[in-house]
């Protein structure tokens, strides 16, 4: 009985492979293409935890269960359900504690902060980022850069440009000095790529008065990096963050009265199919919509047409595909 186990090495390896596949595929695929596999694999992992296995296998199962719960939290967030997303993220953090894995802990904190940020709970976003600060070291891989980059845009959205700038500087220092951890090797969602860091830097700067030029340049650099990743087939490419960088560029241009430039930047985002219109992307486009409501655009037919296009876009989110509407 002491040697008994419900988990063989082949089963564990198959679970690792499936987690790696989903992590890599998720950022590049419509959400309804991966959601079923994600739910099924999480169910398998938790059912295995209910059985008997050796202690080292149990830790591995908790790590895998935590990763799957984290990705499911992101899925709920992408589908516009922040409350379910937060519950699943708490489950992921419990698994990270049971697995004693700092790399997973900090990824969960970064994801919790991200979800709160897009839900409009900006103080909560900053709080979750602060909870992960002590874990942000060179040894927690690219997740440390993610946490600090997320912290930067959270504090910027709260009006603390000085704190945001400090966090961006720390993110850059960590990027230059980091050591990849085991979860970076999964790629996709688990690796905070350089292009994603550039996007977060652009988004941080759109909140800071007087940094419009820096925000525009950062957004352009991020878009170029994502285009390169897409052209090379790298799993660093993510349609959601690519769209976010383009929406940030459109927002900066719209606030400066550059309507044609804003429309040009936003055009590829508005062409995304319904399955890729996740909550963060829609929120980014609605931010452009708010800029187009400025009095400088009163009476502009072009601005009015773009506003209507954004409104129609937001009325057909990815959640509509998974809910059967």
């Amino acid at each position: 009985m002491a040697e008994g186990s419900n988990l063989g090495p082949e089963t564990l390896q198959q679970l690792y492979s499936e987690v790696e596949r989903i992590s890599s595929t998720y950022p590049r695929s419509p959400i309804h293409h991966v959601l079923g596999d994600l739910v099924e694999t999480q169910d398998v992992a938790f059912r295995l935890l209910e059985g008997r296995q050796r202690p080292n296998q149990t830790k591995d199962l908790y790590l895998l269960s935590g990763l799957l719960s984290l990705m499911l939290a992101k899925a709920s967030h992408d589908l516009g359900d922040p409350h379910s997303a937060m519950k699943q993220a708490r489950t992921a953090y419990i698994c990270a504690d049971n697995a004693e894995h700092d790399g997973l802990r900090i990824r969960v904190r970064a994801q919790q902060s991200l979800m709160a940020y897009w839900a409009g709970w900006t103080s909560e976003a900053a709080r979750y980022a602060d909870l992960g600060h002590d874990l942000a070291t060179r040894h927690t891989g690219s997740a440390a850069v993610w946490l600090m980059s997320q912290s930067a845009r959270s504090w910027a959205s709260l009006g603390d440009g000085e704190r945001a700038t400090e966090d961006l500087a720390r993110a850059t220092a960590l990027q230059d000095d980091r050591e990849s951890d085991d979860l970076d090797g999964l790629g996709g969602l688990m690796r905070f790529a350089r292009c994603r860091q550039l996007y977060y830097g652009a988004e941080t700067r759109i909140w800071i008065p007087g940094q419009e030029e820096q925000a525009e340049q950062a957004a352009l650099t991020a878009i170029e990096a994502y285009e390169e990743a897409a052209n090379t087939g790298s799993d660093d490419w993510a349609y959601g963050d690519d769209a976010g960088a383009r929406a940030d560029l459109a927002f900066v241009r719209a606030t400066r009265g550059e309507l044609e430039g804003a429309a040009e930047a936003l055009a590829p985002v508005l062409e995304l199919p319904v399955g890729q219109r996740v909550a963060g992307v829609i929120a980014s486009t609605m931010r452009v919509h708010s800029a187009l409501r400025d009095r400088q655009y009163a009476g502009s037919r072009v601005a009015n047409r773009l506003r209507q296009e954004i409104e129609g876009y937001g009325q057909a989110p990815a959640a509509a595909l998974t809910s059967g509407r």
Side-chain angles (χ1 to χ4, degrees):
M1 289 180 63
E3 292 178 353
S5 173
N6 68 328
L7 183 65
E10 291 300 321
T11 301
L12 192 61
Q13 184 55 51
Q14 185 177 354
L15 273 175
Y16 266 113
S17 296
E18 188 65 359
V19 168
E20 183 176 16
R21 184 188 69 81
I22 295 172
S23 177
S24 176
T25 303
Y26 191 125
R28 297 175 286 131
S29 303
I31 188 169
H32 59 284
H33 287 182
V34 298
L35 186 58
D37 288 346
L38 177 55
V39 172
E40 182 180 355
T41 308
Q42 188 206 39
D43 183 59
V44 169
F46 276 115
R47 279 194 285 111
L48 286 170
L49 273 172
E50 293 174 357
R52 180 193 299 272
Q53 59 276 153
R54 296 178 180 87
N56 64 315
Q57 293 176 323
T58 301
K59 287 186 68 172
D60 286 341
L61 272 179
Y62 271 120
L63 175 61
L64 291 167
S65 299
L67 289 166
L68 290 161
S69 297
L70 176 58
M71 289 191 282
L72 196 56
K74 174 173 170 51
S76 293
H77 157 70
D78 284 341
L79 294 172
D81 187 356
H83 295 287
S84 294
M86 285 298 186
K87 290 179 182 178
Q88 290 150 354
R90 285 192 286 272
T91 299
Y93 199 86
I94 291 170
C95 290
D97 273 345
N98 288 336
E100 299 177 343
H101 199 289
D102 280 346
L104 180 53
R105 287 185 180 110
I106 194 170
R107 283 169 174 81
V108 176
R109 291 306 189 205
Q111 184 65 33
Q112 287 173 313
S113 178
L114 178 153
M115 295 185 304
Y117 173 83
W118 285 116
W121 311 332
T122 47
S123 295
E124 279 290 279
R127 183 179 73 84
Y128 278 119
D130 281 350
L131 288 173
H133 266 229
D134 291 343
L135 298 173
T137 70
R138 60 185 294 187
H139 303 295
T140 46
S142 66
V145 185
W146 181 16
L147 190 284
M148 297 311 304
S149 299
Q150 173 57 36
S151 180
R153 67 177 181 176
S154 297
W155 284 107
S157 70
L158 287 169
D160 193 338
E162 182 177 353
R163 170 68 184 273
T165 302
E166 291 173 359
D167 285 346
L168 282 183
R170 188 176 175 193
T172 299
L174 284 166
Q175 175 70 15
D176 293 340
D177 191 45
R178 74 176 176 86
E179 298 175 355
S180 295
D181 69 354
D182 56 333
L183 300 187
D184 280 327
L186 296 174
L189 291 178
M190 297 305 146
R191 181 174 62 237
F192 190 73
R194 174 63 176 162
C195 42
R196 197 174 177 196
Q197 182 184 0
L198 291 168
Y199 156 51
Y200 277 51
E203 180 135 326
T204 298
R205 291 180 174 89
I206 69 172
W207 294 107
I208 303 175
Q211 291 203 12
E212 291 80 10
E213 288 188 14
Q214 295 95 318
E216 180 175 18
Q217 186 55 53
L220 286 167
T221 305
I223 291 167
E224 290 174 2
Y226 275 117
E227 287 176 344
E228 181 180 354
N231 291 335
T232 59
S234 169
D235 69 356
D236 286 343
W237 181 76
Y239 68 82
D241 293 330
D242 185 339
R246 294 178 189 276
D248 285 346
L249 177 60
F251 175 79
V252 172
R253 289 176 173 175
T255 58
R256 297 199 314 205
E258 300 170 11
L259 183 56
E260 291 185 4
E264 179 185 8
L266 197 62
V269 183
L270 297 178
E271 292 172 358
L272 286 177
V274 173
Q276 294 180 340
R277 297 178 191 177
V278 295
V281 172
I282 289 178
S284 293
T285 60
M286 290 306 298
R287 188 185 291 149
V288 181
H289 185 280
S290 69
L292 294 172
R293 297 199 303 269
D294 188 88
R295 63 183 179 181
Q296 66 179 313
Y297 295 119
S300 169
R301 293 183 179 180
V302 176
N304 185 55
R305 185 170 62 249
L306 186 54
R307 285 195 301 266
Q308 290 178 347
E309 193 172 353
I310 292 171
E311 289 170 14
Y313 177 89
Q315 290 169 17
L321 293 177
T322 58
S323 64
R325 292 196 301 270

